[in-house]
Amino acid sequence: MSTSTLPSAAPITLERTIVKSWKGPIALSIFALLAIVLFGVFARPGVSHFRLSTTGDFFQLPQLDVPTTSTGWILAVILVILAAWSVLMVFQSRRVPLWLTIVFAIVFMAGFLTWVAADALIPIPGLLIGAVSLSVPLIFGAMSGVISERSGVINIAIEGQLLAGAFVSAVVASMTGSPWAGLVAAMVAGTLVSFALAAFAIKYIVDQIIVGVVLNVLVSGLTGFLFSQVLTNNPKFLNTPPRFDRIDIPVLGQIPIIGPVLFDQTVIVYFMYIVVAGVAYALFRTRWGLRTRAVGEHPQAADTVGIKVNLRRFWNVSLAGAIAGFGGAYFTLGSVGSFTKDMTAGAGFIALAAVIFGRWDPIRAMLAGLLFGFATNLQSVLGIIGSPVPSQFMLMLPYIVTIFAVAGLVGQSRAPAADGKPYIKS
Amino acid sequence: MSGNEPVDRQLPNISPEKATREPGQSGTASEPERSRWNVAMREILNGSAMISLLAVVLAIIIGGILIAVTDENVQATAGYFFSRPGDMIAAIWNSVSGAYVSLFQGSIYNFRRPGFANGIRPLMDTLTFATPLIVAGLGVALGFRAGLFNIGGRGQMLFGASAAGWVAFSFAGLPFPLHLIFAVVAGVIAGALWSGLAGLLKATTGANEVITTIMLNYVAYYFVYWMLSTQGLLQLPGSNNPKSPGMLPSAVLPPLFGQQYSLHWGFIIAILVTFFAWWLLNRSRLGFQFKAVGLNPDAARVAGINVPRMIVYVMLFSGAFVGLAGVFQVLGTVTTGFSAGIDAGIGFDAITVALLGRSKPWGVFAAAVLFGAFKAGGFAMQASQGISVDIVLVVQSVIVLLIAAPPLVRAVFRLPKPNLLSPLKSNKTQGKKAVVTK
């Protein structure tokens, strides 16, 4: 919030200058309109079935059956009310809160699912569990991007860091028989990729985007080469990592619907909660965070007050690499099991999209990661029940949303001021 | 979503055209052109050609180390290295020389085949692989010269290939040269428009083209995949596979030296396009404006150049070149119908090609031929020596990393620092430019 002092006032009064941003309400209104058209005008007859719990759950919830058309109308009306509320808030010069957007997104998703599931069954727990497991590497990658870019180094190499983490964790965990060793090794691998990024970007002042792109190719080539030359010759010894078991947290894991989704997961997912909370706290509430942001926004000012800009950038980028490497380990130790060539399949770029869509904020980036994971998993679930929307369009969604976000059509997305600019002390 | 934005932030550089980024350390590529002799002298003094050569050598050495370390014979002989070191040295020599000999034989000339006509076939393969790389590399290089980073090669190629492919298998009645020209033009326009979208977004909203082109790659991939798996659009009628029908013979680029070689007329087009790119950048008014925008958008604007319009134009041209690479893929390389993987990673290789060629048209041409040789040779090496073709990716990326950081190469080879106009120095001034203070 910007402030400017008025010289004449005896007790200094702070004047707030407020810019009304209509982009949010406009976006919500468009989606609300879309909802009316889709759920109302193009309503599909029938009954939508939702399975709310699996057989292993502590609480058994009955299957939810709702009439498609009327539910669609009700949800569309709710969406219109929410959009109208956001318009009203901007009228009153108030900020549209994040929770309103989240509620809007959830209601829209519920409406969409109801519309899609006419005379079909959607297993909600499976949908959500799949979404979370697809989101985990995205969120780790996004945290890596947030830390790196907040300190002024563009991290396109997230993909490479994830892939390096996945590869090394598979090999080390297979050789040692301990997934924990694999996890540590993955962090080291991610850090090594970051060292290369930091060395070239900070010491040799090579364009950071170029280094990132080339490092992705390098890691893809290295892991692919080692995979076909070494791992395929001895898969038993080198590429059968033990996987982490799911740990059910006693009380929390028994909450209906979200309990099994969030609290019956592998240890990597629990680490993810800690990492997100830690990054969010550290970035905005600690001395480290203040200095990191200073280095990313205005390195000269930071240097003037005695912060070693390049050193801090170097270690922050390394930390970012460690986090992304950790996320890469989820591919092998958490979900798939063994390493395959290019198994990250663009997750690093979606993580980058999550960073931008999340406006370089850890919590928002995590939500963006969850949204993208959800969209990806929704596509595979809809593929099974046969959806009216081609699955490719669901898969496109995260990327289109990011383009809109970058273009400033959905909220404003502004990078840290010195993001991507090397700092040379004069 | 976004509420009250701060208004009077005193932060530098929030203008949309802030991204004046140079491809790597390409101080030489972006500096104003001087007289030809001057440039040539400076090249030698700067050692930029020398650095490129040394980077290639270093990358090949690193590739050799990787091949040796992962070779099973080497690993076996390493067990008794201290009793019989000769065995291990021989094993290393066998594996590395075997790999590079087959790389050579797969890319330039194969002495084992009888006769010149057969022996030269690898070179033809090299040039075939190089053909799309040349034009795609030129597209990326053009963007670099104007300070734009086009990572969207994949999407632009896919759209170029789809449009050209659709024309090539749909219009059955058209005669040969007309049908081909129609298909090529359609592909070029499709690539240009897809890339122009990113340019338009940057020019109007300031959206960073790096992000938008990456995202548009994925959008293009899924869109083309959808078209390929939908009857009536691009899918082969009556098929369930996401694959298009084969191209009609009237729209296929004819082979250049007869049916026995894979090389097609696209190579001639690529040479002409390289010449055109050279003319565009060095002799035309538009190219001058492109370079002015790339060197300093603020100065360009003051000089009366419409910077947003130039950004759109650059992206249109860049996408047209890259789209042409997609056209070469469907009408020249794979004429039996294409799938969503038709781009074959060329869109990304083009970035490394443009960097290696230092964003100069003929430099890009040479770099593309080198990478074409790596590709052709890499596949031959995989077939004969069982060494994964991924090693080529490693070698390529190491080359580009090293070229981007000349001080590193100099440190490795203990070369003296050039005193005047050193890349390190120009780097530093570039860096100073990058952090703008107000």
Side-chain angles (χ1 to χ4, degrees):
Chain A
M1 202 49 31
S2 68
T3 58
S4 60
T5 51
L6 298 174
S8 58
I12 297 166
T13 51
L14 299 174
E15 187 183 279
R16 300 184 123 210
T17 315
I18 287 161
V19 178
K20 289 183 185 177
S21 170
W22 288 100
K23 283 171 179 167
I26 289 172
L28 293 191
S29 306
I30 290 172
F31 276 104
L33 205 66
L34 186 71
I36 293 175
V37 172
L38 205 60
F39 313 153
V41 179
F42 290 100
R44 291 153 46 109
V47 179
S48 307
H49 309 282
F50 295 103
R51 194 194 291 143
L52 295 181
S53 55
T54 56
T55 48
D57 284 2
F58 187 77
F59 290 108
Q60 286 295 326
L61 297 176
Q63 183 173 313
L64 188 67
D65 302 314
V66 291
T68 306
T69 314
S70 54
T71 315
W73 270 114
I74 292 167
L75 292 174
V77 168
I78 294 174
L79 289 174
V80 171
I81 292 170
L82 285 172
W85 193 11
S86 75
V87 171
L88 189 73
M89 281 183 137
V90 174
F91 251 124
Q92 295 171 344
S93 302
R94 280 156 63 195
R95 200 182 264 272
V96 180
L98 182 62
W99 64 261
L100 187 84
T101 316
I102 295 173
V103 169
F104 188 92
I106 291 172
V107 174
F108 186 87
M109 232 43 251
F112 181 74
L113 285 179
T114 313
W115 180 70
V116 163
D119 290 331
L121 175 76
I122 289 191
I124 295 292
L127 181 65
L128 294 181
I129 288 173
V132 168
S133 88
L134 284 172
S135 310
V136 171
L138 303 183
I139 292 172
F140 274 110
M143 291 307 118
S144 163
V146 166
I147 292 177
S148 178
E149 302 211 359
R150 278 282 183 175
S151 42
V153 178
I154 293 178
N155 192 356
I156 303 257
I158 299 174
E159 175 85 2
Q161 292 162 345
L162 288 173
L163 195 59
F167 177 81
V168 172
S169 66
V171 173
V172 171
S174 309
M175 285 170 71
T176 59
S178 152
W180 291 98
L183 210 53
V184 174
M187 290 171 72
V188 173
T191 313
L192 285 179
V193 177
S194 263
F195 276 167
L197 173 67
F200 279 98
I202 298 169
K203 185 166 193 311
Y204 294 110
I205 323 172
V206 184
D207 186 290
Q208 296 167 1
I209 295 171
I210 289 174
V211 184
V213 169
V214 174
L215 277 178
N216 286 340
V217 178
L218 180 63
V219 174
S220 162
L222 260 184
T223 54
F225 177 73
L226 293 175
F227 173 71
S228 12
Q229 294 302 114
V230 183
L231 261 58
T232 44
N233 290 340
N234 195 351
K236 216 164 209 171
F237 179 59
L238 291 173
N239 200 9
T240 34
R243 282 162 58 181
F244 280 112
D245 292 323
R246 285 169 182 274
I247 302 168
D248 190 1
I249 294 183
V251 179
L252 294 171
Q254 287 156 7
I255 303 171
I257 303 178
I258 63 163
V261 174
L262 297 178
F263 301 108
D264 184 11
Q265 291 281 10
T266 59
V267 69
I268 299 180
V269 177
Y270 299 132
F271 269 116
M272 182 186 82
Y273 302 149
I274 297 169
V275 166
V276 172
V279 172
Y281 178 81
L283 208 50
F284 297 110
R285 297 275 182 279
T286 65
R287 178 184 295 188
W288 172 83
L290 185 64
R291 291 185 171 184
T292 295
R293 286 180 292 139
V295 162
E297 292 283 355
H298 203 316
Q300 257 151 350
D303 196 12
T304 312
V305 295
I307 302 169
K308 290 192 174 60
V309 174
N310 284 336
L311 197 67
R312 178 159 296 262
R313 283 185 171 178
F314 185 87
W315 287 113
N316 280 357
V317 172
S318 309
L319 174 67
I323 292 175
F326 203 103
Y330 185 76
F331 283 103
T332 46
L333 306 179
S335 57
V336 179
S338 58
F339 181 83
T340 50
K341 212 168 136 176
D342 286 331
M343 72 186 307
T344 47
F349 289 111
I350 309 187
L352 190 68
V355 173
I356 295 158
F357 191 51
R359 298 189 224 167
W360 290 268
D361 175 288
I363 302 291
R364 285 172 197 267
M366 180 196 71
L367 292 174
L370 281 173
L371 177 71
F372 293 167
F374 184 79
T376 312
N377 194 47
L378 185 61
Q379 166 269 327
S380 53
V381 169
L382 294 188
I384 297 165
I385 65 166
S387 93
V389 184
S391 63
Q392 287 84 15
F393 286 92
M394 299 299 303
L395 288 167
M396 262 185 228
L397 200 66
Y399 307 106
I400 293 178
V401 164
T402 309
I403 292 171
F404 277 109
V406 178
L409 300 179
V410 184
Q412 195 176 19
S413 194
R414 199 184 61 80
D419 200 8
K421 298 192 181 60
Y423 178 69
I424 294 109
K425 200 167 178 169
S426 47
Chain B
M1 290 186 40
S2 116
N4 314 321
E5 292 300 328
V7 280
D8 62 347
R9 262 194 215 235
Q10 289 296 319
L11 287 172
N13 258 346
I14 44 174
S15 64
E17 304 99 40
K18 62 176 175 179
T20 45
R21 128 175 12 95
E22 309 279 345
Q25 175 286 321
S26 57
T28 50
S30 53
E31 274 161 32
E33 298 287 321
R34 300 178 194 175
S35 85
R36 202 170 294 184
W37 276 109
N38 204 336
V39 171
M41 283 303 289
R42 247 161 31 97
E43 289 273 285
I44 296 165
L45 281 176
N46 272 355
S48 97
M50 196 60 168
I51 295 287
S52 303
L53 186 73
L54 292 179
V56 172
V57 169
L58 205 56
I60 286 178
I61 292 172
I62 290 173
I65 292 172
L66 269 175
I67 291 170
V69 167
T70 55
D71 187 82
E72 280 179 341
N73 287 332
V74 175
Q75 285 167 359
T77 50
Y80 54 93
F81 176 72
F82 289 105
S83 52
R84 281 164 66 191
D87 279 14
M88 183 170 162
I89 293 167
I92 290 175
W93 172 253
N94 280 339
S95 70
V96 176
S97 69
Y100 283 131
V101 165
S102 72
L103 188 75
F104 178 82
Q105 286 183 341
S107 62
I108 297 172
Y109 193 88
N110 194 343
F111 297 104
R112 287 187 202 157
R113 291 199 189 138
F116 180 76
N118 280 318
I120 201 70
R121 182 171 291 163
L123 186 65
M124 297 295 147
D125 292 340
T126 292
L127 295 180
T128 311
F129 278 114
T131 303
L133 280 175
I134 293 167
V135 282
L138 286 173
V140 176
L142 189 69
F144 279 154
R145 294 298 285 271
L148 293 172
F149 204 138
N150 180 5
I151 310 191
R154 189 185 184 196
Q156 290 145 25
M157 277 188 72
L158 282 171
F159 266 94
S162 302
W166 178 73
V167 171
F169 68 69
S170 304
F171 297 85
L174 285 173
F176 158 65
L178 201 66
H179 195 183
L180 175 62
I181 292 167
F182 188 23
V184 170
V185 169
V188 168
I189 290 175
L193 289 181
W194 191 248
S195 164
L197 189 60
L200 197 66
L201 282 171
K202 183 173 177 85
T204 52
T205 68
N208 188 328
E209 81 284 358
V210 173
I211 308 297
T212 49
T213 48
I214 290 177
M215 299 303 145
L216 285 173
N217 277 346
Y218 287 98
V219 175
Y221 174 79
Y222 289 120
F223 194 78
V224 168
Y225 192 90
W226 170 72
M227 288 198 291
L228 282 168
S229 48
T230 307
Q231 284 288 330
L233 290 174
L234 290 179
Q235 197 177 34
L236 177 69
S239 161
N240 281 326
N241 296 329
K243 201 177 172 210
S244 83
M247 304 302 128
L248 294 170
S250 56
V252 168
L253 288 160
L256 192 57
F257 297 122
Q259 289 291 346
Q260 54 175 334
Y261 300 123
S262 54
L263 193 64
H264 51 80
W265 270 85
F267 185 65
I268 300 296
I269 301 178
I271 293 175
L272 294 176
V273 167
T274 314
F275 187 77
F276 170 73
W278 172 83
W279 177 85
L280 181 73
L281 279 172
N282 296 329
R283 290 290 179 273
S284 77
R285 180 184 167 150
L286 196 62
F288 179 77
Q289 292 180 327
F290 287 175
K291 286 190 291 186
V293 170
L295 288 171
N296 189 337
D298 293 326
R301 197 179 60 241
V302 172
I305 295 172
N306 186 340
V307 175
R309 180 179 293 174
M310 283 307 130
I311 288 174
V312 177
Y313 285 174
V314 168
M315 287 308 276
L316 282 174
F317 270 103
S318 177
F321 285 147
V322 181
L324 188 58
V327 174
F328 289 160
Q329 283 293 98
V330 286
L331 302 185
T333 315
V334 190
T335 54
T336 52
F338 61 93
S339 65
I342 188 71
D343 62 294
I346 291 167
F348 281 102
D349 288 347
I351 300 168
T352 42
V353 166
L355 290 170
L356 183 60
R358 292 179 178 262
S359 306
K360 291 175 178 168
W362 293 106
V364 169
F365 187 90
V369 172
L370 178 69
F371 276 26
F374 274 140
K375 248 186 191 177
F379 285 116
M381 191 168 73
Q382 186 167 21
S384 69
Q385 304 285 312
I387 293 168
S388 165
V389 72
D390 288 312
I391 191 74
V392 168
L393 283 183
V394 177
V395 172
Q396 284 177 355
S397 46
V398 169
I399 290 176
V400 175
L401 273 183
L402 291 177
I403 283 179
L408 187 64
V409 180
R410 274 197 214 96
V412 170
F413 288 99
R414 308 244 179 267
L415 292 181
K417 265 187 195 173
N419 38 13
L420 202 71
L421 288 167
S422 79
L424 184 70
K425 264 195 171 171
S426 69
N427 238 340
K428 286 206 164 173
T429 46
Q430 242 174 294
K432 261 182 209 161
K433 261 187 279 166
V435 181
V436 180
T437 43
K438 280 190 181 166

